[in-house]
Amino acid sequence: MLAYLLRRSVWMLVTIVLVSMLSFILIQLPPGDFLSTYIAQLSASGQQVDAAEVAALEARYGLDRPVYVQYAMWIRGIVTRGDFGQSFQWNRPVSDLIWERVWFTVILSGASFVFSWVVAIPIGIFSAVRKYSVGDYLFTFLGFIGLSTPNFLLALVLMWLLYINFGVSPGGLFSQEYIDAPWSLAKVWDMLQHLIVPVVVIGTAGTAGLIRTLRARLLDELNRPYVTTARAKGLSAWKLLIRYPVRLAILPFISTVGWVLPQLVSGGIIVAIVLNLPTVGPMLHRSLMSQDMYLAGSFILIISVLTVIGTLVSDLLLAWLDPRIRYE
Amino acid sequence: MTQPIRIHNDPGVILELLNLRTVFETRGGTVRAVNGISFYTRNDTVLGVVGESGCGKTVMAHSILRTVDPMGGKVADGNIFFRRKNGEVVDIASLPSEGRQLRSLRGSEISMIFQEPMTAFSPVYTIGQQIMEVITLHQKIPSRQAKAKAIEMLGRVSIPKPEVRVDAYPHQLSGGMRQRAMIAMALSCQPKLLIADEPTTALDVTIQAQILELMVALQREFEMNIIMITHDLGVIAELATDVVVMYLGSIVEKAPVGEVYSNPKHPYTKALQESIPRVEGSVSKKLATISGSVPSAKNIPPGCPFHPRCREFMQGQCDVHVPTLETLSADHTVACWLYGGGE
Ligand SMILES: Nc1ncnc2c1ncn2[C@@H]1O[C@H](COP(=O)(O)OP(=O)(O)OP(=O)(O)O)[C@@H](O)[C@H]1O
Ligand SMILES: [Mg+2]
């Protein structure tokens, strides 16, 4: 088990290094860079561009050096000083801009993930055990409606309902008065209220699929001989269900834990824009458009690191839950 | 058609089925998997149950434990009388499905082992955990004691190094070892009745013999009753004391094992007998296979279920009237019009 952990950790490091290099190169691939775009903008508006100033900027960001030197400088800054470089567009250090968004994204994906499991697992179990019952058909019907409703529409409807009934101001993660306020219990409570809509919207997006898959998996497991063996021991119906078929049916889902984050970052952009959420998605999108390379590169790097860690955690969880993997 | 209920008068009888019917309601119609069977079994015997594939052996076994209910089956009629360890006689057929009383019998007074040793254990728990589960379920003992008991049982079924194997996962054991572990689990609460549904079919021939030998030895040691389901008459000859022959959900003949081989009565039993490959001298005798195929349990022929394939079929009798079990001698009964069956 220890050797397994060690091997996995080494691979994790290698993956992170490769991903960070690749993303850095990819970001630089389009012709031009932020500075040349900036200069072009300035001269277009008739402003004088001081050649000395340009040179100073270039030297400061290392733009006059080869790409690999830039990469090395950037990584050294991160590792030694926690300095992710400067965002050109915002004219602020990247580290000032990203952390809050990264944590909100992590909180949001975590909460949505928990929400979808808490909803999907009991329904999936019910639908499998009471196959073809009225309830099974009802959940199937609801699931298809959920699958075919665009997320942003659901987001708008929920925001409207919440505003009409509870006066919760729509959009964002905080009410106006809390945005710049220091952290307090009231602020957390305010945030939780604002989290409901995004969590439900993002969570339900995966719920229908999760229910169908769990139902199918469980239907397979319910007829396995080990279930009959366990029943012949005298276990009660509930204990039997949870300890035997359900225990095996959920195994494949454990490995999806690691994918939650990138899915949210890449798939949740429209919802994040509609709901005005301070997540990674919209800002990453903008920084890529404007070739704000250190900002975009830092986002991609952090998301990759979190994803790789997530995958490692889910693999360890799976190995812990499934001895057939552990003793390979 | 009222039969005497023996179990009430004879303390040696531990299980008695009366007119048991188990059906599956399917889209294609009602499957009469067990179609009115009656038999009883006495203490310390090994009752062999034979018959072609699909004749209802497995369904009968699952009816006795009522594990047919969750499989979509229903005990539609009849009684399953069972004498508990405390002497009380219960009718398992009338107990509420998956109820407390039923569960208190399973694994503790009646155990079952199955054909597939590869898949009969859950892959995610150790052998020991799965054996301990049945022990702690029926006996209020701490888990450390349950583990000691599990190790002891693994030793009893001749698994080498039981104190190590107790922590092994099923996939770490061979098929034969797994079936031994299954037997250990089934016997860990000292049941009075062990139902074995083709326990050796999936194993190598040499392992088969070892497992069967082990079962006979344990049957004597634990003084229990075994119902051994198989379609291998060779297995029956080796270890059964009595034999029930089933055909399409019915019992056609029941007799002590010697009688079945030396003096079979029912045309189906005779045909089964002749279908065993035998070597006489140097010339191997040609197999007499039974003509025709088994009809579907959805569509059981009227009269005697065997009449369409019977060599001694009597027009107007066998295809109209259902023969009942007729007692020929003390322990030999047969359901066939050749022997005047019926009232
Ligand atoms: N879950 C089920 N649903 C519908 N029909 C079933 C079900 N289980 C068994 N049957 C039917 O009941 C009949 C008896 O089956 P059973 O499994 O008891 O046969 P068997 O004698 O054990 O055969 P084998 O020797 O192949 O194990 C068969 O016709 C089978 O198709
Ligand atoms: Mg069978």
Side-chain angles (χ1 to χ4, degrees):
Chain A
M1 194 67 191
L2 209 68
Y4 174 78
L5 192 67
L6 218 71
R7 201 169 62 229
R8 288 304 311 262
S9 304
V10 169
W11 274 114
M12 189 172 94
L13 271 177
V14 172
T15 314
I16 290 170
V17 169
L18 283 179
V19 167
S20 69
M21 274 185 193
L22 263 179
S23 55
F24 196 80
I25 293 167
L26 277 178
I27 290 162
Q28 304 232 342
L29 219 49
D33 53 39
F34 184 82
L35 216 55
S36 49
T37 324
Y38 178 66
I39 293 165
Q41 267 173 12
L42 283 183
S43 20
S45 58
Q47 280 174 282
Q48 270 302 315
V49 186
D50 186 356
E53 193 188 328
V54 170
L57 278 172
E58 272 188 347
R60 183 167 157 216
Y61 297 138
L63 292 181
D64 51 350
R65 312 268 200 93
V67 173
Y68 62 88
V69 177
Q70 291 184 32
Y71 173 76
M73 280 168 65
W74 180 56
I75 291 292
R76 198 175 66 196
I78 295 173
V79 176
T80 56
R81 288 170 276 131
D83 176 8
F84 284 82
Q86 188 84 359
S87 162
F88 302 121
Q89 195 177 20
W90 300 74
N91 203 16
R92 282 168 68 187
V94 167
S95 46
D96 283 3
L97 294 166
I98 53 173
W99 285 116
E100 224 177 13
R101 281 182 182 254
V102 167
W103 291 130
F104 280 137
T105 308
V106 169
I107 289 173
L108 198 58
S109 357
S112 317
F113 183 73
V114 170
F115 173 84
S116 61
W117 274 52
V118 165
V119 172
I121 288 181
I123 295 179
I125 293 175
F126 172 87
S127 292
V129 174
R130 297 257 179 281
K131 185 173 58 156
Y132 305 138
S133 66
V134 178
D136 181 25
Y137 283 121
L138 183 73
F139 284 126
T140 306
F141 177 69
L142 286 178
F144 281 127
I145 288 188
L147 274 180
S148 52
T149 312
N151 278 344
F152 70 87
L153 190 66
L154 181 62
L156 289 173
V157 170
L158 282 180
M159 278 201 299
W160 178 71
L161 283 178
L162 220 60
Y163 181 66
I164 295 280
N165 295 317
F166 302 103
V168 175
S169 67
L173 266 185
F174 301 105
S175 304
Q176 205 63 41
E177 64 267 33
Y178 287 111
I179 288 184
D180 291 316
W183 280 102
S184 64
L185 270 182
K187 184 168 176 171
V188 171
W189 175 238
D190 185 63
M191 181 181 83
L192 286 181
Q193 281 178 313
H194 280 83
L195 266 179
I196 293 174
V197 173
V199 163
V200 170
V201 171
I202 297 166
T204 47
T207 306
L210 209 57
I211 292 174
R212 297 310 294 172
T213 326
L214 180 60
R215 179 180 180 275
R217 288 268 323 162
L218 193 52
L219 283 178
D220 275 353
E221 294 298 331
L222 283 175
N223 294 320
R224 298 250 191 254
Y226 71 81
V227 178
T228 311
T229 309
R231 188 176 288 123
K233 289 189 201 175
L235 282 173
S236 68
W238 261 107
K239 269 190 198 156
L240 174 77
L241 185 67
I242 302 301
R243 281 192 204 168
Y244 287 86
V246 169
R247 175 75 165 66
L248 264 105
I250 60 165
L251 284 181
F253 295 97
I254 304 293
S255 50
T256 63
V257 173
W259 313 336
V260 174
L261 209 58
Q263 251 167 17
L264 182 70
V265 173
S266 58
I269 294 184
I270 296 180
V271 173
I273 291 172
V274 168
L275 289 173
N276 187 24
L277 296 175
T279 54
V280 167
M283 199 185 235
L284 173 62
H285 181 233
R286 217 175 318 145
S287 65
L288 284 172
M289 297 297 282
S290 62
Q291 292 198 346
D292 193 349
M293 64 181 208
Y294 290 117
L295 185 58
S298 303
F299 270 138
I300 294 177
L301 178 64
I302 291 170
I303 299 295
S304 318
V305 169
L306 290 177
T307 304
V308 171
I309 292 175
T311 313
L312 180 73
V313 168
S314 63
D315 283 357
L316 289 179
L317 215 60
L318 196 61
W320 178 55
L321 289 173
D322 192 343
R324 287 167 299 180
I325 293 174
R326 194 157 71 230
Y327 291 96
E328 228 165 45
Chain B
M1 199 161 61
T2 47
Q3 281 135 329
I5 302 175
R6 286 189 182 76
I7 199 165
H8 291 310
N9 307 319
D10 182 349
V13 175
I14 75 147
L15 178 78
E16 181 165 14
L17 307 196
L18 273 185
N19 277 318
L20 180 73
R21 274 172 220 283
T22 303
V23 298
F24 293 89
E25 300 292 347
T26 66
R27 284 169 196 220
T30 304
V31 177
R32 298 176 199 284
V34 173
N35 197 20
I37 64 174
S38 306
F39 70 84
Y40 63 93
T41 172
R42 312 182 102 269
N43 247 337
D44 305 342
T45 57
V46 176
L47 179 72
V49 177
V50 280
E52 282 165 291
S53 189
C55 69
K57 306 182 294 292
T58 298
V59 173
M60 186 222 22
H62 283 294
S63 302
I64 295 173
L65 269 187
R66 289 284 297 282
T67 40
V68 272
D69 302 41
M71 298 163 117
K74 188 166 165 267
V75 174
D77 194 16
N79 311 89
I80 304 165
F81 292 114
F82 175 70
R83 192 184 304 280
R84 303 195 63 151
K85 284 175 182 168
N86 62 12
E88 178 198 350
V89 173
V90 287
D91 181 6
I92 295 173
S94 69
L95 295 179
S97 192
E98 298 299 294
R100 183 179 295 275
Q101 221 188 332
L102 193 56
R103 285 187 277 115
S104 72
L105 289 172
R106 291 179 183 164
S108 100
E109 306 211 20
I110 306 175
S111 280
M112 197 157 166
I113 54 182
F114 305 92
Q115 182 175 343
E116 309 88 354
M118 310 315 267
T119 50
F121 279 111
S122 167
V124 297
Y125 304 114
T126 62
I127 298 288
Q129 284 170 330
Q130 298 186 58
I131 298 180
M132 284 161 65
E133 186 178 44
V134 68
I135 297 173
T136 50
L137 196 63
H138 297 292
Q139 302 167 11
K140 300 279 158 273
I141 58 172
S143 65
R144 186 197 302 204
Q145 233 171 302
K147 184 158 187 179
K149 175 92 189 168
I151 294 172
E152 184 205 322
M153 288 310 300
L154 290 175
R156 287 277 193 88
V157 297
S158 311
I159 288 184
K161 285 197 255 160
E163 65 290 339
V164 177
R165 296 292 166 84
V166 75
D167 292 320
Y169 286 93
H171 70 273
Q172 297 172 309
L173 300 184
S174 68
M177 283 299 150
R178 251 182 273 192
Q179 197 60 299
R180 284 173 191 268
M182 187 53 72
I183 295 171
M185 182 160 87
L187 299 188
S188 57
C189 290
Q190 266 87 39
K192 290 179 62 187
L193 176 62
L194 175 69
I195 304 172
D197 189 359
E198 308 196 25
T200 59
T201 312
L203 303 172
D204 291 345
V205 183
T206 48
I207 313 278
Q208 273 189 22
Q210 290 171 11
I211 298 278
L212 291 175
E213 223 166 86
L214 173 72
M215 290 185 67
V216 178
L218 290 169
Q219 187 263 329
R220 296 210 188 94
E221 188 183 336
F222 285 80
E223 296 179 348
M224 63 182 169
N225 207 276
I226 294 182
I227 294 181
M228 171 71 73
I229 296 173
T230 176
H231 41 225
D232 185 346
L233 278 177
V235 170
I236 297 286
E238 235 168 90
L239 50 95
T241 46
D242 296 88
V243 182
V244 160
V245 182
M246 282 183 76
Y247 184 80
L248 260 190
S250 302
I251 290 180
V252 295
E253 187 160 2
K254 183 192 171 191
V257 68
E259 289 266 302
V260 168
Y261 286 89
S262 62
N263 187 21
K265 292 295 182 196
H266 198 281
Y268 178 64
T269 317
K270 290 180 192 167
L272 270 185
Q273 265 278 274
E274 288 162 20
S275 72
I276 308 176
R278 237 176 302 212
V279 182
E280 286 180 359
S282 60
V283 191
S284 74
K285 197 176 158 191
K286 193 169 176 288
L287 279 184
T289 47
I290 306 166
S291 64
S293 58
V294 192
S296 155
K298 274 178 199 160
N299 208 347
I300 294 176
C304 170
F306 187 60
H307 84 258
R309 298 167 76 192
C310 186
R311 283 177 292 195
E312 295 168 76
F313 163 60
M314 295 176 285
Q315 184 92 37
Q317 176 71 311
C318 299
D319 54 351
V320 181
H321 306 288
V322 182
T324 50
L325 276 176
E326 205 48 27
T327 304
L328 300 179
S329 62
D331 279 322
H332 197 158
T333 47
V334 64
C336 179
W337 288 117
L338 289 174
Y339 307 95
E343 279 97 295

